[in-house]
Amino acid sequence: MSVVLPQHVSGDGRTQASLDELIALRTRVGRPVHTMLDTHAARAGQHLSRLYGRGMDYAESRAYQPGDDVRRLDWRLTARSGRLHTKLFQEEREARLLVLLDTHAGMRFGTRARFKSVQAARAAALAGWHAVRAGERVGLMAFGGHQSLLKPAAGARGALSVCGALSEWDRLPCHSSEPLSRALRRARQVQHGASQVLLISDGWSCDAAAHGPLLDLARHASVRILVVADVLELGMPPAGRYPIEHEGEQRQIALLGERARRDFSTAMGAGPARLQALAKTLALPVERIDTVVDPGDAVTALLRARGRTR
């Protein structure tokens, strides 16, 4: 089946995501990233679940229980112990990755290299290529400025569809401001059996009510968080006067004294800090990048992270 990609001109890669670049990131993905996990919730990578059945790999044996399949009896252990024992097998399952992408208007901001929205799209595309290289399905859900959903698909078709959606969605106007708590509840409803969820956001949508929905989502999938922030949101700026443009209106901010610079830094970094703190509270793997760095290392680290801690 062919994949129909957007027909518009590719973005510049600075203020708008470049479809050509997102597709080219395919060459940056090396060997498949597999994460071996065993929990009641599905986990990342081509993994082994604790659902015993007609799987391929032997797990262990236990005492026979009424209703067990007699074809699975462990005759050697039965002979040694004098009691019936049943073989248990681990069943290999196809994993699915769902990327939650923040599209709030504030993501379209950047003072170095590119907008946060463009960096987020690059990270999401890399995650998609990693997923399909590992034999997983990949899907995409936008929240914030607009709400869109791309159901998980496998193979190159899945990753190309993600790249096309990222490029197309980055051009849509921001009509709303959806808090993270509401987006997480919606993600739980449209999860489509995703075993791994990658949340990409700058943190400004993170509200106090997000704790419960994020915990609920983490009970059903491995949740990883990638915080994308501008350089000004990550440290105290040098003294100076800074031109700011918003909706065509230009202003200048004077940050001359240390107190003014410190207060500005605290205010600018509140969003990323809030999301990182929430991830730490729930022991969820989290990485933070700015708009200048290559997002590849952070994405790979998150997809390799095990369990709910790092």
Side-chain angles (χ1 to χ4, degrees):
M1 182 181 296
S2 62
V3 180
V4 178
L5 296 176
Q7 298 301 310
H8 52 65
V9 177
S10 184
D12 57 13
R14 293 173 59 84
T15 61
Q16 288 187 335
S18 165
L19 178 58
D20 294 338
E21 180 186 13
L22 300 181
I23 294 175
L25 289 173
R26 178 179 189 172
T27 62
R28 297 277 313 285
V29 178
R31 62 185 180 86
V33 176
H34 296 298
T35 304
M36 301 298 290
L37 296 168
D38 53 345
T39 67
H40 291 294
R43 290 303 188 191
Q46 290 182 344
H47 64 287
L48 300 175
S49 75
R50 282 290 187 182
L51 299 180
Y52 299 116
R54 298 181 180 274
M56 297 176 58
D57 299 320
Y58 169 76
E60 60 183 336
S61 294
R62 61 161 168 75
Y64 174 84
Q65 297 178 3
D68 283 351
D69 189 342
V70 295
R71 293 172 297 180
R72 300 297 181 182
L73 289 178
D74 187 338
W75 293 111
R76 290 187 178 182
L77 183 55
T78 295
R80 290 200 306 268
S81 66
R83 297 176 56 198
L84 289 174
H85 281 75
T86 302
K87 289 183 177 180
L88 303 179
F89 293 84
Q90 289 178 315
E91 183 178 53
E92 193 167 291
R93 287 189 155 194
E94 178 188 50
R96 296 183 179 188
L97 169 68
L98 177 63
V99 179
L100 305 184
L101 182 71
D102 193 335
T103 63
H104 280 91
M107 291 288 290
R108 296 178 180 179
F109 171 81
T111 62
R112 303 287 192 281
R114 56 186 61 87
F115 280 1
K116 291 183 289 184
S117 58
V118 174
Q119 184 73 313
R122 297 171 77 220
L126 278 169
W129 287 118
H130 271 296
V132 300
R133 181 66 62 89
E136 305 172 14
R137 291 177 177 268
V138 59
L140 184 66
M141 189 191 99
F143 71 94
H146 57 89
Q147 292 86 51
S148 303
L149 176 66
L150 182 68
K151 294 182 179 180
R157 176 177 179 270
L160 287 172
S161 295
V162 165
C163 291
L166 289 168
S167 177
E168 182 178 6
W169 296 354
D170 194 44
R171 287 157 177 76
L172 296 178
C174 298
H175 292 302
S176 61
S177 181
E178 181 183 26
L180 181 59
S181 58
R182 187 185 306 166
L184 292 170
R185 285 191 289 267
R186 187 160 57 87
R188 181 72 187 91
Q189 295 172 351
V190 301
Q191 192 177 340
H192 295 292
S195 54
Q196 186 168 201
V197 174
L198 175 61
L199 169 62
I200 304 178
S201 170
D202 64 356
W204 286 100
S205 62
C206 184
D207 55 330
H211 182 281
L214 186 56
L215 177 60
D216 181 53
L217 187 62
R219 286 172 175 157
H220 296 86
S222 291
V223 177
R224 285 92 167 86
I225 299 176
L226 179 63
V227 180
V228 179
D230 184 74
V231 174
L232 281 181
E233 297 172 320
L234 299 180
M236 191 163 65
R241 299 181 183 275
Y242 293 84
I244 300 292
E245 182 176 344
H246 178 64
E247 296 182 348
E249 182 178 350
Q250 295 184 349
R251 294 184 179 181
Q252 193 176 74
I253 299 178
L255 300 175
L256 304 178
E258 181 177 349
R259 180 175 179 179
R261 291 158 55 210
R262 184 171 59 250
D263 291 346
F264 178 82
S265 176
T266 300
M268 288 292 291
R274 191 159 56 239
L275 183 54
Q276 285 186 277
L278 177 58
K280 183 177 180 180
T281 298
L282 297 179
L284 299 176
V286 60
E287 295 280 346
R288 188 187 70 183
I289 59 174
D290 58 33
T291 59
V292 179
V293 302
D294 183 336
D297 289 343
V299 170
T300 302
L302 287 174
L303 296 182
R304 291 186 184 277
R306 292 175 176 268
R308 291 179 54 188
T309 58
R310 285 201 67 216

